[in-house]
């Protein structure tokens, strides 16, 4: 059998399997695949399967728009409850973060709550409407200013969502409480704008979402501040190695079927580094 693709969101694999079954009467094989950093639900096509070329063409369209109604409808028509269960599991994980998030600094918590609310809305069936409203502006939408920042609040993967929220909550909170809310707010908007523009220039024909560019900016800012003010911004051992490995993984991941917004990550990191380099702090911390 031939491996087609795998997803960190199991419902994606289930939707595609059910869609192919309903359209071509070909039953794809679901199998867990170990990606090293975790297990994903992979899709395989049996050898000598009919419509193999057509199915591979369908896969290209699916990867570009996995939230289209026709894929979810195929699962409902097939009576597949597993995809629904996975969605409600993700919903529960998202809601369970709220008590911890509400204890954060005001702006740190505000962005985290926004990300949770958007993610929950996606799971509840509003994904396509959210994508349409928040994606980085195309030529006809350049005057819709919110799009230059709103792309950072949307996530396409449960693990990506959790990863970004955890690192944002830790290191953005440190900036907000050690310096000021205004410093963090400026960093958020600058890095969301820079990472969005860079990723759009790198891949003008694809949509991208996620807080990763902003998170890398926050991490880069913390790293520079730890060198300028080591007593105020202590960092765990291996922090720089984590940053470098995170960037490098973005270039290796396509070999495993995972595509990351590398230009956005690097631009976010650099905007955070430059922001911290030119940041002038008073002698006493602002709260």
């Amino acid at each position: 059998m031939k491996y087609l693709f795998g997803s960190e969101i199991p419902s994606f694999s289930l939707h595609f399997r059910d869609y192919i079954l309903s359209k071509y009467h070909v039953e794809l094989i679901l199998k867990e695949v170990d990606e090293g950093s975790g297990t994903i639900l992979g899709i395989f096509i049996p050898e000598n399967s009919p419509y193999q070329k057509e199915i591979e063409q369908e896969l290209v369209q699916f990867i570009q728009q996995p939230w289209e109604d026709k894929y979810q409808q195929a699962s409902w028509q097939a009576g597949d409850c597993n995809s629904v269960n996975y969605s409600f599991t993700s919903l529960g994980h998202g809601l369970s973060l709220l008590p911890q998030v509400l204890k954060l600094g005001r702006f740190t918590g505000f962005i985290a709550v926004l990300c949770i609310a958007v993610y929950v809305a996606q799971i509840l069936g509003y994904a396509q409407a959210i994508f349409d409203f928040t994606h980085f502006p195309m030529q006809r939408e350049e005057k819709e200013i919110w799009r230059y920042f709103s792309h950072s609040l949307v996530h396409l993967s449960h693990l990506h969502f959790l990863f970004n929220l955890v690192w944002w909550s830790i290191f953005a909170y440190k900036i907000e409480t050690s310096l000021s809310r205004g410093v963090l707010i400026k960093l958020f908007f600058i890095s969301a704008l820079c990472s969005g523009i860079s990723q759009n220039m790198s891949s003008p024909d694809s949509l991208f979402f996620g807080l990763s560019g902003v998170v890398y900016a926050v991490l880069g800012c913390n790293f520079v501040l730890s060198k300028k003010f080591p007593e105020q911004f202590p960092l765990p051992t291996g922090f720089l190695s984590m940053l470098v490995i995170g960037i490098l993984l973005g270039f290796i991941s396509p070999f495993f079927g995972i595509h990351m917004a590398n230009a956005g990550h690097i631009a976010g990191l650099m905007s955070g580094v430059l922001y911290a380099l030119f940041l002038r702090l008073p002698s006493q911390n602002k709260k």
Side-chain angles (χ1 to χ4, degrees):
M1 57 183 179
K2 180 181 178 181
Y3 179 65
L4 291 179
F5 84 107
S7 175
E8 295 170 342
I9 306 178
S11 60
F12 278 8
S13 301
L14 293 165
H15 290 333
F16 184 71
R17 178 204 63 180
D18 294 337
Y19 176 75
I20 295 302
L21 180 61
S22 66
K23 185 171 182 178
Y24 296 99
H25 303 288
V26 174
E27 187 165 357
L28 302 179
I29 299 170
L30 294 178
K31 185 178 179 181
E32 289 190 345
V33 178
D34 187 2
E35 287 286 321
S37 59
T39 301
I40 64 174
L41 190 60
I43 286 278
F44 296 81
I45 186 170
E47 291 185 8
N48 302 319
S49 176
Y51 304 109
Q52 184 166 334
K53 290 184 178 179
E54 290 84 350
I55 291 173
E56 290 177 349
Q57 290 174 355
E58 292 280 3
L59 177 60
V60 173
Q61 296 179 20
F62 174 76
I63 290 174
Q64 293 175 347
Q65 294 288 343
W67 293 99
E68 279 194 17
D69 290 341
K70 63 180 180 181
Y71 301 118
Q72 300 182 47
Q73 289 172 1
S75 291
W76 284 105
Q77 292 169 358
D80 189 351
C81 296
N82 289 325
S83 60
V84 179
N85 290 336
Y86 278 121
S87 292
F88 278 101
T89 299
S90 298
L91 175 61
H93 282 303
L95 293 175
S96 68
L97 294 171
L98 277 174
Q100 290 78 21
V101 165
L102 294 175
K103 298 177 182 178
L104 299 174
R106 290 184 181 179
F107 188 71
T108 305
F110 173 70
I111 294 298
V113 167
L114 272 181
C115 288
I116 292 173
V118 169
Y119 197 64
V120 168
Q122 290 174 229
I123 293 169
L124 292 177
Y126 299 97
Q128 193 59 54
I130 290 171
F131 295 160
D132 292 341
F133 185 75
T134 59
H135 70 74
F136 194 84
M138 298 179 182
Q139 188 172 4
R140 67 180 183 276
E141 301 155 336
E142 289 180 348
K143 294 182 179 180
E144 298 177 351
I145 304 300
W146 72 85
R147 294 183 180 276
Y148 293 93
F149 313 99
S150 58
H151 60 87
S152 64
L153 304 175
V154 182
H155 293 85
L156 304 181
S157 157
H158 186 51
L159 289 179
H160 189 212
F161 164 72
L162 289 175
F163 175 87
N164 282 339
L165 213 62
V166 167
W167 290 116
W168 166 263
S169 299
I170 295 171
F171 293 101
Y173 177 77
K174 179 63 177 175
I175 293 173
E176 182 171 3
T177 55
S178 296
L179 301 179
S180 73
R181 190 174 308 126
V183 169
L184 180 60
I185 291 173
K186 291 175 185 176
L187 178 59
F188 172 84
F189 283 105
I190 290 172
S191 58
L193 180 64
C194 291
S195 61
I197 291 175
S198 298
Q199 188 59 40
N200 186 62
M201 292 175 63
S202 174
S203 305
D205 297 324
S206 63
L207 299 181
F208 53 89
F209 297 96
L211 196 63
S212 298
V214 175
V215 167
Y216 270 107
V218 167
L219 296 177
C221 183
N222 270 274
F223 176 73
V224 172
L225 291 175
S226 73
K227 301 301 179 183
K228 294 174 67 175
F229 311 98
E231 294 183 359
Q232 294 176 239
F233 289 89
L235 291 178
T237 304
F239 182 86
L240 178 59
S241 299
M242 179 196 70
L243 275 179
V244 173
I245 291 173
I247 293 294
L248 292 177
L249 283 176
F251 292 95
I252 299 172
S253 62
F255 293 103
F256 303 98
I258 302 172
H259 297 273
M260 298 185 183
N262 294 319
H265 292 175
I266 294 172
L269 178 63
M270 294 307 300
S271 65
V273 167
L274 292 173
Y275 184 78
L277 285 174
F278 290 99
L279 186 64
R280 296 185 179 274
L281 301 183
S283 57
Q284 296 182 344
N285 294 346
K286 292 183 179 180
K287 298 293 184 181

